[in-house]
Amino acid sequence: MHISATSALSLSKLKPPNRITYRHKTVASPRPRRTDLRRVIEAILYIVTTGCQWRQLPRYFPPFTTVQGYFYRWIREGRWEAMNHILVILSREQDGRDATPSVGIIDSQSVKTAENGGPRGYDAGKKIRGRKRHITTDTLGHVVAAVVHPADVQDRDGAPLVVTRIRSLFPWLRHLIGDGGYAGEKLRGALAELGRWTIKIVKRSDRAEGFVVLPKRWIVERSFAWLGRCRRLTKDVEATISSSHAWLMIAHIRRVLRKINQTAF
């Protein structure tokens, strides 16, 4: 069937019909969304806080299948990391800081996994079989980048993965502070391939006894403690790395939202 240029222009000005006909089959056009996305976010924050299962979601939230669908959809679209990025910038500006940090404190945390399967490993140092949460925070304790990988990956091998995320999110951050696990020429060589990076190693003194607060390193430890208040993170029950990373981001989003709200009001 041939359509002239004039007819094509006229057709382009028409509004989308309520029903669309494909040859001999007529289907309805996509219906408008009826789900309140605020309620979806509240339901996901409820799950990360209480640690309940999807099916145990209270009935005053949208159906758990709807909430679950948005959760995985936003993982595929990268929205959780984008939300965390925007909230970190807003929180820093609210505290009178530059939007982009220049110094980051890096550390990792090994957690046990459930029987769901998925990538995992054995951390011989912590004697934990599971996964490792690798994060970098600014000097205020905000998580600026995070990576989840099997626990058998050494800190100096997992650090370049975190640095790669930092480059795209906060390009002005070029100096890291870490513990003895990040010492050595192997990591310095890997960082040199990613740009001009410097890393400072803060070690515990051999003569120190008991608990000792180490300069700057206590900031990232405090951030892990803040994240640990969310029961969903007490154990990694996810079957995929992407879901584990998403819940880590959501836990931090919850914390930053509370901070911004308390400061603003």
Side-chain angles (χ1 to χ4, degrees):
M1 177 180 178
H2 177 71
I3 300 178
S4 64
T6 304
S7 301
L9 181 61
S10 301
L11 291 174
S12 63
K13 296 180 180 180
L14 295 177
K15 295 182 179 179
N18 294 329
R19 303 186 70 83
I20 304 174
T21 303
Y22 296 97
R23 290 190 177 182
H24 302 292
K25 184 178 181 181
T26 302
V27 297
S29 59
R31 61 183 180 182
R33 182 180 65 236
R34 297 182 179 179
T35 304
D36 186 359
L37 295 185
R38 181 188 177 98
R39 299 296 293 165
V40 173
I41 292 290
E42 291 173 350
I44 294 175
L45 293 177
Y46 178 88
I47 292 177
V48 76
T49 303
T50 62
C52 73
Q53 298 176 347
W54 287 107
R55 293 180 180 273
Q56 301 302 320
L57 195 65
R59 294 187 177 181
Y60 48 79
F61 290 119
F64 81 91
T65 53
T66 302
V67 178
Q68 193 177 42
Y70 277 106
F71 171 76
Y72 288 111
R73 175 182 174 182
W74 291 341
I75 289 178
R76 295 190 299 269
E77 297 175 350
R79 292 185 182 268
W80 295 119
E81 195 168 35
M83 278 189 264
N84 181 74
H85 181 236
I86 294 172
L87 289 174
V88 168
I89 291 176
L90 291 176
S91 180
R92 286 183 58 83
E93 292 179 341
Q94 194 177 61
D95 292 338
R97 302 294 188 94
D98 292 335
T100 301
S102 58
V103 178
I105 304 98
I106 187 170
D107 201 1
S108 65
Q109 178 191 59
S110 297
V111 293
K112 295 181 179 179
T113 52
E115 64 278 359
N116 295 356
R120 67 183 72 185
Y122 181 73
D123 184 351
K126 303 291 181 62
K127 301 186 185 303
I128 292 178
R129 180 173 177 80
R131 294 179 185 145
K132 206 176 261 190
R133 296 167 182 157
H134 224 134
I135 69 171
T136 298
T137 68
D138 61 6
T139 54
L140 297 176
H142 300 115
V143 177
V144 298
V147 172
V148 179
H149 53 71
D152 57 354
V153 177
Q154 299 295 322
D155 288 350
R156 61 179 59 92
D157 296 325
L161 303 176
V162 185
V163 170
T164 302
R165 293 200 179 225
I166 296 175
R167 289 181 60 190
S168 60
L169 296 172
F170 297 95
W172 296 109
L173 200 162
R174 282 293 181 267
H175 181 66
L176 297 175
I177 300 174
D179 57 19
Y182 301 95
E185 294 299 325
K186 182 179 181 180
L187 176 57
R188 295 184 185 275
L191 294 180
E193 297 178 358
L194 298 174
R196 300 179 60 183
W197 290 83
T198 58
I199 183 167
K200 179 181 178 181
I201 305 301
V202 179
K203 294 185 178 180
R204 174 187 171 92
S205 175
D206 297 334
R207 293 178 294 179
E209 297 181 359
F211 175 76
V212 178
V213 177
L214 299 177
K216 299 297 183 182
R217 276 182 50 189
W218 65 270
I219 297 175
V220 67
E221 299 292 348
R222 181 186 62 178
S223 297
F224 275 126
W226 282 338
L227 296 174
R229 295 176 181 176
C230 295
R231 294 189 177 184
R232 186 79 180 194
L233 300 186
T234 56
K235 192 175 184 180
D236 195 331
V237 298
E238 304 303 315
T240 62
I241 293 290
S242 59
S243 295
S244 299
H245 179 262
W247 286 117
L248 184 62
M249 289 288 97
I250 294 168
H252 186 251
I253 288 171
R254 169 186 175 273
R255 185 250 160 187
V256 180
L257 282 174
R258 291 167 64 90
K259 175 180 178 295
I260 292 175
N261 183 59
Q262 291 173 358
T263 306
F265 301 99

